[in-house]
């Protein structure tokens, strides 16, 4: 690809104006680059935009998985950007989706990002040329589609819009209704119904907690090693995985059988990059996006970076770090390793994961405990500012509480005292 020295390249295309895209745009502009963010929706904010209306046509995409009454599963104290935290006037730590959306809007205004965001502009094709990137953008306002050319691409299209539906025997025999959590909107739809929820991740647990307040009975099917004994278990029965569906319900792995009216599959999402052409050189195999260096840089075309793939992390902070990390290379302040070095590094990292028991390719971008080493690595390699110790400590205090303290963990308020310390009090 391009032989021009990186520091002479200037044009940045950001795909998406959610939490990640806003960070990519802001940091690129601050680094002196010419950046534009294309957002297919009518407003910025991505995931945090709640809309009750679902498309009539099943082929039309649903852009957000947000549902009524959601409160964040992380405290706002760790959800701000490193240089733009949530206002302290908001007293609660676990806030509504609307409050997150307002925060993202205020971030865009504070850093004067809006003149650089093109709403209702959908990137439909990205292809590498000899010296740059060709990007086809469909302008929904004027119904035109023209190519534009860029030196760098930040892929910030979000990872919670392509449902990962399980394949379970008899699913097509079941005569009740089935949906994925992606299109779950309101608990009242399940009034007096019997509902099976599949999956006990953050969405499965939270949606169970919402629906059980309306439903006659909820069955929560999961394979967590330890059975959560949270307070909501009144009208909730926990079940192992489904062995097979029947006409009226399901038989579970322990041989028990239940009847129900609805199934909500809270089984997660798949990475998907429909606008990237195959010659971009990145594949998704079993939800492993490869080959990427440090989970973000496209090894085949390093002027393209993916922001926000790792999960079980501190989302906003990791997005911002990945952007600042890659910008060190894109602005010529650091030299990218060779392709061979990047591949060797990727293989080494994946080997370590395999040894630690992350043998499933689906978990290739899972961080959990590894996230802290990852942050140190990005910071040490490029000299960018690391996440403050207080944020890491706070994250350790509140992580995974959605499983065992589902009904109570949001009744805490955190206060950041300084870069090292926080306080927590029950409300
Ligand atoms: P998104 O917010 O999805 O933004 C992507 C944007 O790209 C969208 O606006 C989309 O329209 C646009 N786009 C996509 N394709 C194109 C294209 N081809 N052309 C133009 N634009 C395009 N995180 C937390 O920190 N705390 C929480 O409590 C929390 N709760 C969550 C609850 C739910 C139900 C879900 C689904 C996620 C939750 N998350 C939470 C994770 C959250 O999604 C991330 O923190 C973050 O908001 C993701 O930002 P993003 O920019 O990567 O993606």
């Amino acid at each position: 690809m391009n032989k021009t020295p990186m520091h002479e390249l200037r044009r940045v295309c950001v795909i998406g104006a959610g939490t990640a895209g806003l960070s990519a745009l802001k940091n690129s502009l601050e680094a002196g680059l010419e950046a534009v963010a294309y957002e297919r929706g009518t407003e910025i904010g991505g995931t945090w935009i709640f809309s009750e209306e679902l498309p009539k046509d099943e082929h039309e995409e649903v852009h957000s998985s947000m549902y009524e009454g959601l409160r964040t599963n992380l405290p706002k104290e760790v959800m701000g950007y490193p240089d733009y935290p949530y206002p302290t006037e908001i007293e609660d730590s676990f806030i509504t989706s609307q409050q997150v959306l307002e925060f993202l809007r205020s971030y865009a205004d504070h850093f004067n990002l809006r003149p650089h965001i093109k709403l209702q502009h959908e990137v439909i094709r990205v292809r590498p040329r000899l010296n740059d990137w060709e990007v086809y953008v469909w302008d929904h306002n004027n119904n035109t589609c023209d190519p534009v050319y860029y030196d760098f691409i930040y892929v910030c299209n979000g990872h919670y819009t392509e449902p990962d539906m399980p394949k379970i025997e008899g699913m097509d025999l079941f005569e009740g209704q089935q949906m994925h959590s992606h299109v779950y909107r309101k608990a009242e739809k399940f009034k007096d119904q019997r509902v099976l929820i599949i999956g006990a991740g953050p969405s499965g647990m939270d949606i169970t907690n919402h629906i059980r307040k309306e439903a006659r009975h909820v069955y929560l099917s999961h394979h967590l090693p330890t059975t959560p004994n949270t307070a909501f278990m009144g009208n909730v029965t926990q079940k192992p995985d489904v062995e097979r569906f029947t006409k009226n319900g399901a038989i579970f792995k322990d041989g028990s059988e239940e009847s129900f009216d609805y199934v909500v599959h809270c089984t997660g999402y798949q990475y998907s990059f429909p606008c990237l052409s195959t010659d971009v050189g990145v594949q998704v195999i079993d939800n492993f996006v490869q080959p990427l260096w440090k989970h973000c840089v496209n090894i085949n075309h390093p002027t393209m970076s993916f922001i926000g793939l790792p999960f079980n992390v501190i989302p906003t902070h990791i997005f911002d770090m990945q952007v600042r990390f890659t910008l060190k290379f894109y602005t010529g302040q650091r030299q990218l390793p060779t392709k061979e070095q990047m591949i060797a590094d990727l293989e080494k990292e994946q080997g370590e994961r395999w040894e630690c028991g992350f043998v499933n390719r689906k978990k290739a971008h899972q961080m959990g405990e590894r996230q802290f080493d990852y942050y140190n690595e990005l910071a040490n390699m490029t000299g960018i500012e690391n996440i403050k110790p207080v944020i890491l400590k706070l994250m350790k205090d509140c992580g995974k509480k959605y499983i065992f303290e589902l009904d109570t963990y949001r009744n805490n308020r955190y206060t950041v005292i300084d870069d090292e310390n926080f306080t927590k009090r029950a409300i």
Side-chain angles (χ1 to χ4, degrees), residues 15-21 38-41 45-48 63 65-67 70 72-74 79 121-123 156-160 203 275 315 319:
I15 306 173
T19 311
Y38 294 103
E39 168 53 56
R40 66 184 171 185
T47 296
W48 300 99
H63 290 179
S65 306
M66 196 46 60
Y67 46 87
L70 177 136
T72 57
N73 53 35
L74 291 176
M79 284 181 59
H121 280 65
E122 182 169 3
V123 174
C156 305
N157 65 329
H159 312 297
Y160 299 103
S203 294
C275 66
F319 301 166

Side-chain angles (χ1 to χ4, degrees), residues 132-201:
D132 58 9
W133 294 95
E134 182 177 67
V135 180
Y136 272 87
V137 183
W138 178 15
D139 173 354
H140 290 267
N141 299 303
N142 300 316
N143 217 5
T144 52
C145 187
D146 296 312
V148 262
Y149 299 94
Y150 287 97
D151 300 310
F152 301 106
I153 306 280
Y154 277 113
V155 183
C156 305
N157 65 329
H159 312 297
Y160 299 103
T161 47
E162 186 66 36
D164 189 3
M165 273 298 248
K167 290 187 182 64
I168 305 172
E169 192 187 329
M171 267 171 91
D172 49 340
L173 297 177
F174 177 64
E175 290 180 351
Q177 287 192 45
Q178 301 188 53
M179 63 160 75
H180 188 272
S181 55
H182 179 43
V183 291
Y184 164 75
R185 290 293 177 271
K186 281 175 148 206
E188 69 187 31
K189 178 184 172 86
F190 302 93
K191 191 154 186 56
D192 300 328
Q193 304 289 315
R194 296 160 306 167
V195 186
L196 171 69
I197 307 232
I198 297 189

Side-chain angles (χ1 to χ4, degrees), residues 155 157-159 161-162 270-276 284 287 289 309:
V155 183
N157 65 329
H159 312 297
T161 47
E162 186 66 36
Q270 295 175 347
Y271 297 109
S272 172
F273 309 100
C275 66
L276 305 185
V284 187
N287 233 21
V289 187
L309 300 189

Side-chain angles (χ1 to χ4, degrees), residues 3 27 42 55 76 88 123 128 188 196 206 231 338 342 347 385:
K3 296 283 176 279
N27 284 295
T42 52
K76 70 172 193 303
T88 44
V123 174
E188 69 187 31
L196 171 69
D206 198 48
T338 62
M342 289 195 244
E347 285 173 355
E385 197 177 327

